[in-house]
């Protein structure tokens, strides 16, 4: 600083936020944004010095340079390990203030900072419902719908519109992705928000059409769609209309003994396999029920279009989070005994999606493997799917189990191992050929090792014991197994406390998640802070930070912020 001038202390900067001159307010907010960049200590001090309520108050200031600077400072303060900063913003009505500013914003740079701040805040569980209640409709009406290219009633002559403001859409989808993991009430409000699901699906379809299946925007949208598909068969309006009572599983007398279709009859019962064998040509042909009006809103979550989207992403995307979300969405849609679950299980086969999911079992990401396993388990409720999965997926399911001679050895988590064991059991129940395939691929060796090694968890032992019990239930396999040296005692385990029944219409719902937790393998993670550098006489520029230690893994940068005019912030000494 020249001569008699010095940089102001933090309390002085916060005091300047309340100065009568707007130029001083905007410069103070911009300088505060700079001080908070990558500095958790300063962020905490700003909170303790009561600077956050003043910044929130400036969001309603009529001049852009003031509310823009204040929002940039709040965006930096809301990013980081100190969750109290997020709570402080919420407690002084920061979310409604950000929404008021969002509704007035008409330019991309300001909207980007607002949505980035909301994305940061959405990572805290106690703020999620506040965002749903105050910001959902504004984000949908002001950002998602107008920038997605989707039109409620497109004219026949109008050309397809393209995505605009991709970084803003990415922030918004990331925020909604986080809040959708909160609770059923949040999911209900998002599903029923007019135009939201329609626009999200349009965005993903557009990105696939542009051969961009690995963008952060696609990831956030698909993870959000996956969360909205969680418990969808129970939570949508009039869910009882679609419920079907599953038939009790038959005895293990062969691969075709049990029916995977419900016993319910009526207008929803459009197709009955009866005693048709899977070899029947008609068994692979499925048509969704005819509609008199196009599906819209939450109905789109379980229509043929969305099935094709997930299959396209499974085949084309290289991003683990997108693969996991796509498989998880399929898993969710196929959970439960409901009409559309039955349609979708068949449609996945018809659209050649089974092999795409089975291929994920060899993926390097354990989360992808687990999601694929869960999807296959729910798809195997369909008899034809069960046979195909038994033929083609059993070897890779077995390879993911611990033990055996494979190199490198698999060392998956307890949850993933249990998921794989449950899927294997679902596939081999009433499916002798799949049980034979299990034996041929050294599956028995691995199962007995899990059961008797003494170093596996109780959940893993119980899941393995169920599979062994199912295998021994096939009388045709007992002599071949005994010739190989196995004894009846190898297949007998105390399962008196096991709550899960053996096969037959059991389902997994995908664990709700997809708040994207930081993974060590994610090397492209970026930040949500704005850095001010090059403080000079007449301008500063804002840059983005790459930060691997954040709670939310957000790979991909938001892009450089446009320079904003500001005067140097100095005080007389």
């Amino acid at each position: 600083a020249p001569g008699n001038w010095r940089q102001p202390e933090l309390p002085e900067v916060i005091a300047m936020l309340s100065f009568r001159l707007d130029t001083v307010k905007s410069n103070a907010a911009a300088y505060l944004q700079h001080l908070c960049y990558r500095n958790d200590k300063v962020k905490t001090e700003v909170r303790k010095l009561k600077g956050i309520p003043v910044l929130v108050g400036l969001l309603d200031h009529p001049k852009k340079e003031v509310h823009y600077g204040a929002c940039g400072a709040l965006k930096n303060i809301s990013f980081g390990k100190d969750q109290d900063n997020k709570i402080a913003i919420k407690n002084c009505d920061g979310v409604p203030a950000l929404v008021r500013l969002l509704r007035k914003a008409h330019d991309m740079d300001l909207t980007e900072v607002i949505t980035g701040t909301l994305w940061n805040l959405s990572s805290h569980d106690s703020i999620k419902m506040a965002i749903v209640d105050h910001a959902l409709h504004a984000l949908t009406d002001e950002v998602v719908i107008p920038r997605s290219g989707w039109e409620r009633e497109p004219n026949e002559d109008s050309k397809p519109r393209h995505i605009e403001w991709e970084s803003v859409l990415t922030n918004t989808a990331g925020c909604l992705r986080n809040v959708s993991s909160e609770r059923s009430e949040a999911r209900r409000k998002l599903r029923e928000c007019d135009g939201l699901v329609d626009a999200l699906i349009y965005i993903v379809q557009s990105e696939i059409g542009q051969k961009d299946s690995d963008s952060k925007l696609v990831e956030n949208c698909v993870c959000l769609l996956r969360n909205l598909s969680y418990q969808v068969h129970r939570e949508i309006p009039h869910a009882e209309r679609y419920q079907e009572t599953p038939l009790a599983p038959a005895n293990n007398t062969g691969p075709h003994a049990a029916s995977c279709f419900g016993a319910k009859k009526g207008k929803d019962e459009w197709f009955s396999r009866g005693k048709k064998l899977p070899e029947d040509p008609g068994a692979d042909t499925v048509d969704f029920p005819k509609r008199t009006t196009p599906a819209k809103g939450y109905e789109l979550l379980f229509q043929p279009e969305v099935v094709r989207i997930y299959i396209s992403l499974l085949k084309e995307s290289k991003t683990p989070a997108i693969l996991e979300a796509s498989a998880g969405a399929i898993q969710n849609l196929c959970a439960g005994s409901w009409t559309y679950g039955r349609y979708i299980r068949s449609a996945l086969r018809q659209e050649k999606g089974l092999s795409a999911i089975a291929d994920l079992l060899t993926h390097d990401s354990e989360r992808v493997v687990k999601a694929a396993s869960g999807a296959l388990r729910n798809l195997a409720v369909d008899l034809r799917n069960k046979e195909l999965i038994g033929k083609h997926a059993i070897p890779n399911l077995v390879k993911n189990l611990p033990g055996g001679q494979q190199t490198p050895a698999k060392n998956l988590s307890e949850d993933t191992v249990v998921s794989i064991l449950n899927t294997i059991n679902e596939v081999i129940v009433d499916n002798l050929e799949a049980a034979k395939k299990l034996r041929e691929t050294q599956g028995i060796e691995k199962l007995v090792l899990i059961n008797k090694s003494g170093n596996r968890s109780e959940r893993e032992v119980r899941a393995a014991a169920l599979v062994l019990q199912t295998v021994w239930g096939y009388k045709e396999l007992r002599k071949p197994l005994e010739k190989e040296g196995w004894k009846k005692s190898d297949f007998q385990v105390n399962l008196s406390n096991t709550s899960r029944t053996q096969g037959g219409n059991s389902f997994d719902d995908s664990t709700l998640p997809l708040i994207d937790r930081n993974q060590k393998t994610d090397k492209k993670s970026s930040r949500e802070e704005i850095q001010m550098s090059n403080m000079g006489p007449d301008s500063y520029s804002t840059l983005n930070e790459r930060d691997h230690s954040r709670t939310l893994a957000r790979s991909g940068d938001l892009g450089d912020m446009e320079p904003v005019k500001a005067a140097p912030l100095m005080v007389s000494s």
Side-chain angles (χ1 to χ4, degrees), residues 436-450:
K436 289 179 180 178
K437 179 72 75 172
L438 179 67
R439 171 176 152 256
E440 293 166 4
T441 54
Q442 285 73 54
I444 306 301
E445 176 188 342
K446 288 191 170 188
L447 292 164
V448 173
L449 187 63
I450 292 171

Side-chain angles (χ1 to χ4, degrees), residues 242-460:
Y242 305 109
Q243 296 307 306
E244 299 181 347
T245 304
L247 294 176
N251 294 328
N252 288 0
T253 56
H256 310 302
S259 171
C260 65
F261 297 118
K264 176 181 173 182
K265 302 295 180 184
K267 64 180 181 181
D268 288 333
E269 190 69 17
W270 61 280
F271 176 71
S272 174
R273 288 275 290 276
K275 294 185 178 180
K276 283 184 181 179
L277 295 178
E279 295 79 51
D280 188 305
D284 275 336
T285 303
V286 171
D287 293 314
F288 275 68
K290 298 289 188 260
R291 301 185 60 92
T292 55
T293 58
K296 63 179 181 179
Y298 67 82
E299 293 176 325
L300 291 170
L301 292 170
F302 42 85
Q303 297 302 314
E305 300 92 311
V306 81
V307 173
R308 297 186 189 106
I309 286 174
Y310 296 139
I311 293 174
S312 293
L313 292 173
L314 289 173
K315 292 179 178 178
E316 297 173 18
S317 179
K318 301 292 187 293
T319 304
I322 294 175
L323 296 173
E324 180 192 356
S326 300
I330 292 168
Q331 177 181 350
N332 287 345
L333 293 173
C334 294
S337 298
W338 70 308
T339 304
Y340 279 96
R342 177 160 53 83
Y343 296 149
I344 289 169
R345 289 183 207 111
S346 299
L348 255 293
R349 177 180 68 252
Q350 192 173 331
E351 297 286 341
K352 313 299 183 187
L354 290 178
S355 60
I357 298 172
D359 287 345
L360 297 181
L361 294 171
T362 61
H363 200 277
D364 292 337
S365 167
E366 178 177 342
R367 292 170 59 141
V368 173
V369 171
K370 184 183 175 187
S373 171
L376 290 172
R377 180 185 179 188
N378 288 352
L379 286 163
V381 174
D382 177 287
L383 286 181
R384 180 62 175 144
N385 287 351
K386 177 178 289 205
E387 293 179 6
L388 293 170
I389 293 168
K391 287 180 181 177
H392 303 292
I394 285 289
N396 284 332
L397 285 166
V398 171
K399 284 180 182 177
N400 280 297
L401 294 177
Q405 304 300 316
Q406 68 215 42
T407 305
K410 288 287 185 177
N411 187 27
L412 303 180
S413 68
E414 175 189 301
D415 282 347
T416 304
V417 171
V418 171
S419 171
I420 291 166
L421 289 167
N422 287 339
T423 299
I424 291 173
N425 196 57
E426 192 69 50
V427 173
I428 68 171
V429 165
D430 301 318
N431 190 351
L432 175 60
E433 294 305 312
K436 289 179 180 178
K437 179 72 75 172
L438 179 67
R439 171 176 152 256
E440 293 166 4
T441 54
Q442 285 73 54
I444 306 301
E445 176 188 342
K446 288 191 170 188
L447 292 164
V448 173
L449 187 63
I450 292 171
N451 226 349
K452 298 191 173 182
S453 64
N455 61 356
R456 310 307 303 187
S457 71
E458 182 179 353
R459 290 178 63 222
E460 290 170 308

